[in-house]
């Protein structure tokens, strides 16, 4: 009980610090815009409010935020955070019983059950991993150590109390048995459910820390990566090979986050389970996500995310994206599946992914309508593998017969073989110098002139053949070739 109270106190203190940081961001953003004139920009590029009415409303909000900040700072200085044992939401519900369709008796039962708890952390080396609350793996009996004032109620040796009911674990029972047999630390929590009228015992333990591979090791293994783009109502994912090229059809997993907290968490777990199943099906070694955090956006969203109804809708959408919960749930669930989670920088993934990868994905996808979110998932996966997101211009497209694409993301143009000529110029290429072209659609290319193999020898310094004279061939639209040779004075004359 002491440990649980201390954990709750530390959590409340951290929440106070986070609230103070958010209030300071909001006050700073409003103050900067209040300095600028209405409808005009200041020297720092900060635009003032649209009219005097909006400016007055923001001044009132500034005073409210400053008052809230003063209260938070006083609580931090005194070290007295606000803690409600049993839950603040349930405490507030006491004043709205009619709206919640509850009677006073029902609410009292929930309140007492919420405040009743018994927790005991495990100890390594203790019998079955926990000396305070011990569960026998053979018959499932539960015994508790009683404090000294209650030792006269003990019904088991060494001042312990044996419960009349037994427990049995169905989920992950084998792991629990391995843990308690080796006398590893196991934590137990006993809680009451007023709806069913039953008591439940939960067991938890710390998993061993695994050494995460680096991006170079992931690429060296030659395995595939699953890039995931988290959105407000769905997950967009695409499989990439070790070179960063998308494979197969991208998928869209719906994500409906409505209802109570337990319902939202269950739907989020279901979406993550579908994501892990898809990664296993495609033999992926890891899942790449964005390291998102909307703390600053939630604090200053009213000043930077638009005005009116449209801005309010967008702010609600951003605030509803479960970034932290999705990251923590995914990390815990992929650990048991043997997958690696790679969090990358979210900068420009949606913009560059939609710009460079939406059309290539649509060309290779026959059944899926590709969106810019699928392009963002490719960008996330490429960044996790250490590749660039933007595709180099001029990459050869798909061949209609062989369906071969040159590798993307190259830093430089591959060198040509020594002695080969440049590609022929197209009709749209402007001519340089004083050379004339008989027809706009003609193509120019250099060819070696007629020569006798017995004449001339190659100069080692210049690499040219003495005695040879270059010739120019002009291929016309009608298929004829006109030859021109080098004459006196370096001018081109018909030969």
């Amino acid at each position: 009980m002491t440990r649980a109270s201390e954990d709750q106190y530390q959590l409340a203190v951290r929440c106070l610090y986070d609230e103070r940081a958010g209030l300071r961001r909001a006050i700073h953003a409003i103050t900067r815009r209040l300095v600028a004139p209405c409808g005009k920009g200041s020297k720092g590029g900060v635009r003032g409010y649209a009219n005097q009415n909006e400016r007055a409303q923001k001044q009132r909000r500034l005073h409210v935020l400053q008052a809230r900040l003063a209260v938070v700072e006083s609580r931090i200085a005194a070290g007295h955070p606000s803690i409600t044992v049993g839950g603040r939401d349930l405490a507030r519900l006491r004043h709205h019983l009619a709206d919640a369709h509850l009677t006073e008796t029902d609410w009292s039962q929930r309140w007492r059950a919420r405040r009743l708890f018994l927790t005991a952390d495990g100890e390594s080396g203790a019998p079955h991993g926990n000396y305070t609350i011990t569960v026998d793996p053979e018959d499932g009996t539960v015994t508790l150590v009683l404090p000294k004032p209650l030792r006269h109620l003990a019904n088991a040796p060494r001042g312990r109390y044996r419960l009349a009911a037994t427990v049995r674990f169905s989920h992950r029972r084998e792991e629990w048995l391995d843990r308690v047999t080796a006398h590893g630390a196991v934590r137990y929590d006993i809680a009451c459910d007023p709806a069913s009228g039953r008591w439940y015992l939960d067991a938890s333990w710390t998993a061993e820390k695994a050494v995460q591979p680096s991006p170079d090791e992931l690429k060296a293994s030659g395995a595939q990566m699953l890039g995931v783009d988290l959105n407000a109502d769905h997950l967009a994912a695409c499989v990439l090979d070790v070179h960063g090229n998308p494979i197969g059809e991208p998928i869209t997993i719906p994500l409906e986050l409505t209802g109570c907290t337990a319902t939202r968490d269950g739907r989020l777990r279901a979406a993550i389970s579908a994501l892990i199943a898809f990664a296993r099906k495609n033999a992926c070694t890891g899942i790449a996500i964005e390291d998102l955090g909307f703390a600053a956006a939630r604090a200053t969203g009213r000043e930077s995310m638009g005005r009116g109804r449209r801005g309010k809708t967008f702010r609600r959408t951003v605030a509803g994206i479960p970034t932290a919960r999705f990251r923590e749930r995914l990390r815990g669930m992929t650990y048991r599946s043997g997958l690696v989670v790679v969090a990358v920088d979210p900068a420009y993934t949606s913009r560059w992914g939609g710009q460079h990868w939406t059309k290539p994905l649509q060309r290779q996808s026959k059944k899926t309508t590709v969106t810019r979110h699928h392009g963002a998932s490719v960008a996330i996966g490429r960044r996790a593998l250490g590749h660039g997101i933007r595709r180099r211009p001029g990459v050869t497209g798909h061949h209609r017969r062989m369906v071969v694409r040159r590798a993307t993301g190259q830093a430089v143009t591959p060198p040509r073989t020594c002695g080969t000529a440049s590609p022929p110029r197209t009709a749209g290429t402007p001519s340089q110098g004083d050379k004339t072209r008989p027809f706009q659609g003609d193509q120019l290319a250099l060819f070696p002139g007629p020569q006798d193999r017995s004449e001339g020898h190659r100069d080692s310094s210049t690499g040219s053949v003495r005695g040879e004279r270059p010739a120019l061939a002009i291929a016309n639209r009608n298929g004829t070739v006109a030859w021109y040779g080098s004459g006196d004075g370096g001018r081109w004359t018909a030969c």
Side-chain angles (χ1 to χ4, degrees):
M1 296 176 67
T2 305
R3 175 65 179 274
S5 301
E6 178 64 20
D7 292 344
Q8 194 170 13
Y9 174 80
Q10 295 296 336
L11 177 61
V13 171
R14 290 196 300 269
C15 291
L16 277 180
Y17 280 104
D18 293 341
E19 185 179 0
R20 184 178 67 176
L23 289 173
R24 286 179 176 178
R25 291 195 197 100
I27 291 174
H28 178 68
I30 294 177
T31 304
R32 291 183 63 191
R33 296 195 66 181
L34 287 175
V35 174
C38 291
K40 297 181 181 180
S42 64
K43 295 182 180 180
V46 180
R47 187 175 182 83
Y49 292 104
N51 48 54
Q52 291 293 339
N53 184 21
E54 185 179 1
R55 179 186 176 89
Q57 295 295 332
K58 292 298 181 179
Q59 287 178 340
R60 294 179 59 184
R61 176 168 174 77
L62 178 62
H63 295 320
V64 173
L65 294 178
Q66 290 174 348
R68 289 173 54 187
L69 179 61
V71 173
V72 171
E73 288 182 344
S74 63
R75 288 182 177 178
I76 293 177
H80 295 159
S82 177
I83 301 175
T84 304
V85 179
R88 188 171 301 176
D89 295 338
L90 187 58
R92 292 174 178 174
L93 194 63
R94 175 64 179 83
H95 306 285
H96 308 279
L97 297 179
D99 298 337
H101 304 286
L102 290 176
T103 62
E104 186 176 354
T105 304
D106 296 338
W107 180 88
S108 300
Q109 291 178 358
R110 290 189 181 185
W111 181 251
R112 287 194 297 267
R114 188 75 64 86
R115 293 168 64 90
L116 287 175
F117 67 94
L118 183 60
T119 301
D121 292 335
E123 305 92 6
S124 298
H128 304 305
N130 197 316
Y131 182 78
T132 306
I133 302 177
T134 305
V135 180
D136 193 345
E138 296 181 0
D139 53 4
T141 58
V142 181
T143 58
L144 294 84
V145 175
L146 296 177
K148 289 184 178 181
L150 300 178
R151 287 290 175 87
H152 62 280
L153 300 176
N155 58 1
R158 294 177 297 176
R160 304 181 70 89
Y161 185 86
R162 180 183 290 107
L163 300 181
T166 59
V167 297
R168 175 179 175 81
F169 295 102
S170 299
H171 179 61
R172 302 172 65 175
R173 175 177 174 81
E174 291 76 13
E175 298 182 22
W176 174 76
L177 287 175
D178 296 340
R179 191 79 178 179
V180 298
T181 303
H183 303 292
V186 180
R187 169 174 171 165
Y188 293 108
D189 296 89
I190 302 177
C192 177
D193 184 10
S196 60
R198 295 181 177 180
W199 290 82
Y200 292 90
L201 185 140
D202 299 330
S204 59
W205 56 89
T206 303
E208 298 180 358
K209 294 184 178 180
V211 179
Q212 302 297 337
S214 63
D216 295 335
E217 294 176 353
L218 288 176
K219 291 190 295 184
S221 63
Q224 300 175 2
M225 178 70 67
L226 179 63
V228 181
D229 181 41
L230 173 63
N231 300 279
D233 56 351
H234 71 279
L235 299 175
C238 185
V239 180
L240 290 84
D241 61 7
V242 67
H243 304 289
N245 300 317
I247 301 175
E249 298 271 345
I251 64 169
T252 301
I253 300 176
L255 184 62
E256 185 180 358
L257 299 177
T258 57
C260 60
T261 304
T263 302
R264 294 196 303 268
D265 187 70
R267 291 172 178 173
L268 182 62
R269 288 176 177 270
I272 294 176
S273 300
L275 200 65
I276 294 176
F278 183 74
R280 285 180 171 180
K281 179 181 179 181
N282 292 272
C284 297
T285 58
I287 299 177
I289 62 173
E290 294 176 303
D291 189 10
L292 292 173
F294 295 121
R298 293 187 179 99
T300 62
R302 294 188 177 185
E303 311 302 324
S304 59
M305 292 187 177
R307 303 168 59 249
R309 183 178 301 176
R310 183 177 181 181
K312 189 174 183 179
T313 303
F314 180 70
R315 292 196 302 270
R316 286 182 176 178
T317 302
V318 172
I321 299 178
T323 54
R325 187 172 295 274
F326 172 75
R327 184 169 56 248
E328 295 302 323
R329 289 287 183 267
L330 180 65
R331 184 178 64 175
M333 296 176 68
T334 53
Y335 177 81
R336 288 180 41 79
S337 303
L339 299 175
V340 179
V341 178
V342 183
V344 302
D345 185 7
Y348 300 101
T349 53
S350 297
R351 180 179 300 179
W352 288 348
Q355 179 182 357
H356 296 278
W357 291 101
T358 301
K359 292 183 179 179
L361 274 179
Q362 190 62 67
R363 284 197 296 265
Q364 76 177 30
S365 301
K366 305 301 181 183
K367 301 179 181 179
T368 306
T369 301
V370 178
T371 63
R372 62 186 183 92
H373 302 295
H374 296 109
S377 65
V378 177
I380 294 169
R382 288 179 62 86
R383 183 167 284 178
L385 292 171
H387 300 296
I389 297 179
R390 292 176 290 183
R391 302 172 69 247
R392 185 174 59 82
V395 176
T396 308
H398 271 298
H399 195 281
R400 293 188 177 182
R401 294 180 59 188
M402 295 182 294
V403 194
V404 175
R405 176 178 290 275
R406 206 169 70 198
T408 61
Q410 300 176 2
V412 296
T413 305
R416 292 190 299 270
T417 308
C418 182
T420 59
S422 301
R425 296 188 302 173
T426 60
T429 305
S431 60
Q432 301 178 358
D434 56 352
K435 297 180 181 180
T436 60
R437 300 171 62 182
F439 195 81
Q440 184 69 16
D442 298 338
Q443 293 183 352
L444 306 182
L446 290 176
F447 292 86
Q451 59 176 336
D452 187 358
R453 294 183 178 270
S454 62
E455 297 180 0
H457 63 279
R458 182 172 296 277
D459 192 340
S460 60
S461 61
T462 61
S464 61
V465 178
R466 296 181 182 178
E468 296 181 3
R469 293 183 178 181
L472 178 66
I474 303 179
N476 299 322
R477 287 187 173 182
N478 55 8
T480 61
V481 178
W483 287 89
Y484 292 84
S486 176
D488 297 337
R491 297 181 180 180
W492 297 102
T493 58
C495 53

